[in-house]
Amino acid sequence: DAGVIQSPRHEVTEMGQEVTLRCKPISGHDYLFWYRQTMMRGLELLIYFNNNVPIDDSGMPEDRFSAKMPNASFSTLKIQPSEPRDSAVYFCASSLGVWNTEAFFGQGTRLTVV
Amino acid sequence: AQTVTQSQPEMSVQEAETVTLSCTYDTSESDYYLFWYKQPPSRQMILVIRQEAYKQQNATENRFSVNFQKAAKSFSLKISDSQLGDAAMYFCAYRSPGGGADGLTFGKGTHLIIQP
């Protein structure tokens, strides 16, 4: 398996624009996580899915953020409208159903909002 | 809510020497998992080692080992025979036993510098 695949690797956008980040989890993994990494706050869990169903979105900062998982092999994180303070690295990770297994991370998307 | 604290923002060690990175956590649960992840400049998060809370034996992976003190809620990482490729950010992480917050809670990280 190629691992967790995220696209794009880098995104630069203007304030107010819509941004969509994409993730393909490892085949067979039934948990998918979205994290955000900033210097100030470190790595924060935004939302996670189990079997394509959102389980906990309490980490989503505002209504401007939304995430979907239409099928087992694809998820999106959307920010609309984007703001400069959304600039960060966004990671997607996936893991098997049992809680004691590792989460495999994608290479992240570096988002810059100007 | 669980919290993970890494009190060393940066550590430096000479190549071939041993270094220990500290991590403490706060939880009311008795079963959980702890992890150390490495993040090199490439940004990729790589699992270094994991520890099950119900196991008393400390986990080891080649040059990497942990000192898990459950009562003290401490989980330090020891890197022996440090190599230049070990230079990275190291994150300590906690994972609940499911049924709720299944995601990882991370510490703020320790930047490890290897001096040649």
Side-chain angles (χ1 to χ4, degrees):
Chain A
D1 201 313
V4 177
I5 299 173
Q6 290 187 247
S7 65
R9 283 216 65 190
H10 305 273
E11 177 79 33
V12 180
T13 190
E14 291 185 348
M15 182 174 63
Q17 296 297 307
E18 178 180 294
V19 176
T20 299
L21 312 181
R22 297 172 175 79
C23 174
K24 176 177 166 47
I26 292 173
S27 177
H29 283 189
D30 51 0
Y31 276 76
L32 184 140
F33 307 87
W34 283 100
Y35 290 89
R36 178 172 68 175
Q37 185 178 32
T38 61
M39 288 294 292
M40 290 295 294
R41 300 174 69 90
L43 277 152
E44 306 171 277
L45 176 66
L46 299 178
I47 185 172
Y48 76 91
F49 296 81
N50 179 214
N51 292 320
N52 312 339
V53 176
I55 303 300
D56 185 354
D57 64 355
S58 60
M60 297 285 262
E62 299 172 35
D63 291 345
R64 299 183 295 106
F65 286 70
S66 62
K68 294 182 179 180
M69 192 165 186
N71 57 62
S73 60
F74 184 66
S75 177
T76 59
L77 177 68
K78 186 178 293 187
I79 308 172
Q80 165 63 19
S82 58
E83 297 182 4
R85 59 196 170 112
D86 302 331
S87 298
V89 178
Y90 290 82
F91 285 99
C92 175
S94 70
S95 69
L96 288 171
V98 293
W99 61 275
N100 58 353
T101 58
E102 74 173 280
F104 292 82
F105 284 76
Q107 290 198 291
T109 295
R110 179 176 294 281
L111 173 65
T112 304
V113 184
V114 299
Chain B
Q2 294 79 23
T3 58
V4 177
T5 302
Q6 293 179 249
S7 59
Q8 306 152 316
E10 187 172 282
M11 291 283 285
S12 181
V13 64
Q14 290 290 128
E15 192 176 5
E17 293 189 349
T18 295
V19 63
T20 298
L21 308 184
S22 301
C23 173
T24 58
Y25 58 94
D26 187 25
T27 183
S28 58
E29 296 166 326
S30 57
D31 288 330
Y32 46 86
Y33 266 66
L34 297 165
F35 303 84
W36 278 97
Y37 277 86
K38 169 185 177 181
Q39 186 179 39
S42 67
R43 286 205 313 251
Q44 184 73 51
M45 295 288 286
I46 303 163
L47 179 68
V48 174
I49 198 166
R50 71 176 134 204
Q51 175 78 43
E52 298 95 328
Y54 59 87
K55 288 188 177 180
Q56 291 188 341
Q57 186 174 8
N58 289 325
T60 61
E61 289 286 342
N62 300 313
R63 298 183 294 108
F64 299 86
S65 62
V66 298
N67 183 6
F68 174 49
Q69 302 289 329
K70 190 173 183 179
K73 296 179 182 175
S74 171
F75 182 61
S76 60
L77 175 69
K78 186 172 82 170
I79 305 174
S80 304
D81 186 25
S82 300
Q83 299 176 1
L84 294 178
D86 295 333
M89 285 291 293
Y90 285 81
F91 293 93
C92 178
Y94 172 103
R95 189 170 187 184
S96 295
D102 281 331
L104 292 162
T105 300
F106 287 90
K108 290 291 179 68
T110 296
H111 182 208
L112 179 63
I113 299 168
I114 310 295
Q115 305 279 6

